[in-house]
């Protein structure tokens, strides 16, 4: 059957970007992971649903532990990149003085953006070390994907 009178919320396009090369950093500032996707919204009123899934790792050799923190960034029409939404945990690792280890993290982030443009938008996953020695995405060359879905108003 069909639904009459339904407005908005229809998916107009779904674009996926993938990356398979490991990126390891020691930076405490956000840097690109090279995981990105480009989408051109059909209307300024459209929203863009983002979802990233990346194999992620945090390395720590002290009980303070390590945290791999992700953040979505966007570039509109070839402009500079700026952060959008809140940051999120990709992975965590901690070892206590008795050498018991804890690790976790989903490597997943989601966000709904309102870019208010019909220009091409590039969305990218940036990441940083929030503790520990280093952090990685596409750990041991396991892949990552980022999906952008245009949702019509």
């Amino acid at each position: 059957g069909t639904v009459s009178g339904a407005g908005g919320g229809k998916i107009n396009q779904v674009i996926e970007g993938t990356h398979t090369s490991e990126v390891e950093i020691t930076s405490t500032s956000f840097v690109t992971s090279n995981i990105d996707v480009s989408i051109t919204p059909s209307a300024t009123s459209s929203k863009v649903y983002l979802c990233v899934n990346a194999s992620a790792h945090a390395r720590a050799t002290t009980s303070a532990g390590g945290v791999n923190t992700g953040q979505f960034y966007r570039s509109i029409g070839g402009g500079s990149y700026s952060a959008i939404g809140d940051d999120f945990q990709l992975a965590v690792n901690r070892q206590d003085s008795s050498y018991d280890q804890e690790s976790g993290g989903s490597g997943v982030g989601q966000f709904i953006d309102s870019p208010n443009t019909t220009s091409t938008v590039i969305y990218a996953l940036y990441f940083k070390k929030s503790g520990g020695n280093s952090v990685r995405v596409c750990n041991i060359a396991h892949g990552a994907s980022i999906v952008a879905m245009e949702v019509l108003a």
Side-chain angles (χ1 to χ4, degrees), residues 2-11 45 151-153:
T2 60
V3 177
S4 63
K10 297 180 179 117
I11 303 300
S45 59
V151 182
L152 300 174

Side-chain angles (χ1 to χ4, degrees), residues 43-102:
T44 57
S45 59
S46 293
K47 295 193 181 301
V48 177
Y49 168 77
L50 299 169
C51 182
V52 66
N53 186 353
S55 169
H57 176 76
R59 186 170 151 279
T61 56
T62 67
S63 61
V67 178
N68 187 340
T69 303
Q71 174 85 52
F72 285 113
Y73 275 63
R74 76 172 177 206
S75 165
I76 297 176
S80 60
Y81 281 85
S82 58
I84 55 171
D86 295 327
D87 62 17
F88 48 92
Q89 180 180 291
L90 292 168
V92 63
N93 187 341
R94 188 184 81 77
Q95 176 176 297
D96 66 20
S97 60
S98 63
Y99 299 100
D100 289 330
Q101 292 187 347
E102 300 173 349

Side-chain angles (χ1 to χ4, degrees), residues 14-19 33-38 48-54 71-73 84 88 109-110 122-126 143-149:
V14 178
I15 310 291
E16 180 184 33
T18 60
H19 188 75
S33 66
N34 299 318
I35 301 167
D36 59 31
V37 64
S38 175
V48 177
Y49 168 77
L50 299 169
C51 182
V52 66
N53 186 353
Q71 174 85 52
F72 285 113
Y73 275 63
I84 55 171
F88 48 92
Q110 300 177 64
I122 301 172
Y123 292 100
L125 173 66
Y126 277 52
S145 70
I146 182 170
V147 174
M149 286 191 273

Side-chain angles (χ1 to χ4, degrees), residues 101-113:
Q101 292 187 347
E102 300 173 349
S103 62
S106 62
V108 173
Q110 300 177 64
F111 183 69
I112 297 174
D113 188 30

